[in-house]
Amino acid sequence: MVKAQIEQYFENNYDKFLSHIQKLIAVQSVKGEATEQFPFGEGPAEALQLTLKMADELGLLTTNHENYVGTINLNELPSELGILVHVDVVGEGTNWTKQPFGGEIEEGKMYGRGASDDKGPTIASLFALAAVKELGIPLKSNARLIVGTDEESGCADTKYYFQKEQPPTYVFSPDGEFPVINTEKGGLRTSFSGNFSEETQLPRIVSVEGGYRVNVVPPNAQAVVEGLTIELISPLAEQVSSETGASITLVSHEGNLIQINVEGKGAHASLPHKGINAVTTLLSLLVQLPFADCAAFRALKGVNDVFPHGDYYAEAAGLKMEDEKSGQLTMNFAIFKFAPTSLYGFIDSRVPICATEDNTMHVLANSLQKYDVELKLGGFSKAHHTPEDTDFVKTLLANYEQYTGNEGYCQHVGGGTYVHGIPGGVAFGCTMPGVETNIHGADEYIIIEDIITSAKIFTSVIIDICGEK
């Protein structure tokens, strides 16, 4: 009976549901300059305020916590279930064939930055609360939607919120995949640097720059070199392009300068094998060119030795490891800058349960130190694991099975969500198994049928946990 009511609600609200996702996608909620009023810039705050306005119009109870977090409550009873979502997004990057903030619908898919990460899931969760309210389901407790604005840049939003509020008894985040993600890898996110005396002997590297977000495989990188010819560089560039799949172009400039442009493919940092890293591609070309020997170039070659192109599991750095519950360590060389007197890089490594500071950070520091490059110590976080035999996980899996007809199971991922560190928390949806939605890459999308199914599942979960027995 209740399932039929849920189905009817989403059939009746189909157009409204999709238009709300499109409106949210249209907000360019990339982190901006912080102000007293907007801690993460105007874009994330605008997206939060729009979400709360939508919730108000659906008859739900809302609070804006100083543009850090918004909360949306089903009722005023004690909160038993918490759903953690976010409305900030990474930058659009390059190579889109759709409008990044357009919400275009084509062949059953909706495209746009944040469609799957995490604006579609935010609206699915919002309408799940609204469905329970409209259907008049008797409840013994509250379900609370917690809407964040800084998930992509360090989660300072929820850190602020949870200093003041305790998480509900049960918590999930629809910021991942179905069925249930009960294990999230930890992280090693830190920088390295080197400083050198300038040497002007030619040929030399004038500059290198690549990457724009720590948690994105860098899709673009460029270098400016002095004292070489396009005729010399071109055959090596073609070889590296063939080996890596990246596009490399060469442009001559006045003053005996050549600009080398590399176009790779962006991807989520937890899945580096799904992208083409433009930074490591560029370094693999530069180290083959006949530059004059100097400390800075030797250090650059050392960085390439430690992070060679295609080494997704950090074997060259001495970090390769895995365990049964959480899988393999992965490595994303995310950002790199080089000048004749300095270099700087930032890495985003997703580490399994067996990882410690000693067997990751200290090992990497020693690997880089051989080349006079210093790793900044800090930035290590442990993996998160919730046992799969809890009643909460069983409830989630049962609802997934009811609405999809597929077998439920638990899995591990390299990506992290808001539930990382919250006891008993898991990620639950909205991407169905085997679907690649291009999160953090070009033409990110959601499958419309899947996001509506997700909303139905969430509605049923709210009823199971918060409803009167």
Side-chain angles (χ1 to χ4, degrees), residues 177-370:
E177 304 169 8
F178 285 120
V180 166
I181 296 170
N182 69 323
T183 304
E184 296 179 359
K185 292 178 183 176
L188 174 59
R189 300 176 182 89
T190 190
S191 62
F192 56 85
S193 59
N195 294 287
F196 320 98
S197 298
E198 183 169 7
E199 299 184 36
T200 58
Q201 184 178 353
L202 300 181
R204 69 170 184 163
I205 301 171
V206 176
S207 66
V208 180
E209 187 164 353
Y212 71 104
R213 288 285 299 218
V214 172
N215 56 355
V216 177
V217 175
N220 300 98
Q222 66 176 36
V224 175
V225 302
E226 183 180 10
L228 295 176
T229 65
I230 284 183
E231 289 73 22
L232 186 148
I233 300 172
S234 186
L236 285 172
E238 290 177 6
Q239 177 184 332
V240 170
S241 177
S242 176
E243 292 170 350
T244 63
S247 172
I248 302 176
T249 57
L250 309 175
V251 181
S252 292
H253 292 282
E254 292 184 6
N256 201 21
L257 301 177
I258 296 172
Q259 182 173 314
I260 305 172
N261 300 313
V262 178
E263 185 174 294
K265 178 184 176 184
H268 195 286
S270 67
L271 302 167
H273 61 285
K274 291 185 177 292
I276 299 175
N277 192 312
V279 166
T280 55
T281 297
L282 180 55
L283 292 185
S284 65
L285 170 60
L286 293 175
V287 298
Q288 297 183 62
L289 296 174
F291 295 112
D293 182 56
C294 66
F297 182 49
R298 289 195 297 272
L300 183 143
K301 289 194 292 184
V303 169
N304 181 71
D305 286 344
V306 175
F307 304 113
H309 184 79
D311 189 10
Y312 309 119
Y313 308 109
E315 185 172 8
L319 304 186
K320 186 174 182 179
M321 66 182 72
E322 67 179 303
D323 57 45
E324 185 176 349
K325 287 183 178 178
S326 53
Q328 292 180 289
L329 177 148
T330 61
M331 176 64 70
N332 178 45
F333 188 168
I335 295 171
F336 187 64
K337 297 180 181 180
F338 176 91
T341 60
S342 65
L343 64 77
Y344 170 87
F346 205 105
I347 59 157
D348 182 350
S349 175
R350 309 300 171 101
V351 304
I353 294 172
C354 62
T356 65
E357 288 193 57
D358 282 342
N359 65 17
T360 58
M361 182 167 290
H362 295 163
V363 171
L364 182 56
N366 289 335
S367 296
L368 289 169
Q369 192 175 35
K370 300 172 186 175

Side-chain angles (χ1 to χ4, degrees), residues 30-35 38-45 67-68 149-150 156-157:
V30 180
K31 186 173 185 177
E33 183 178 352
T35 67
F38 306 121
F40 310 110
E42 294 186 20
N67 285 321
Y68 279 83
T149 57
D150 188 47
D157 52 351

Side-chain angles (χ1 to χ4, degrees), residues 408-423:
Y409 55 87
C410 289
Q411 59 185 322
H412 63 79
V413 292
T417 70
Y418 278 140
V419 302
H420 202 106
I422 296 178

Side-chain angles (χ1 to χ4, degrees), residues 392-403 408 428 457 464:
F392 179 49
V393 170
K394 290 177 181 177
T395 297
L396 299 180
L397 290 175
N399 279 282
Y400 167 78
E401 291 178 345
Q402 180 184 8
Y403 280 86
F428 183 56
I457 293 171
D464 279 355

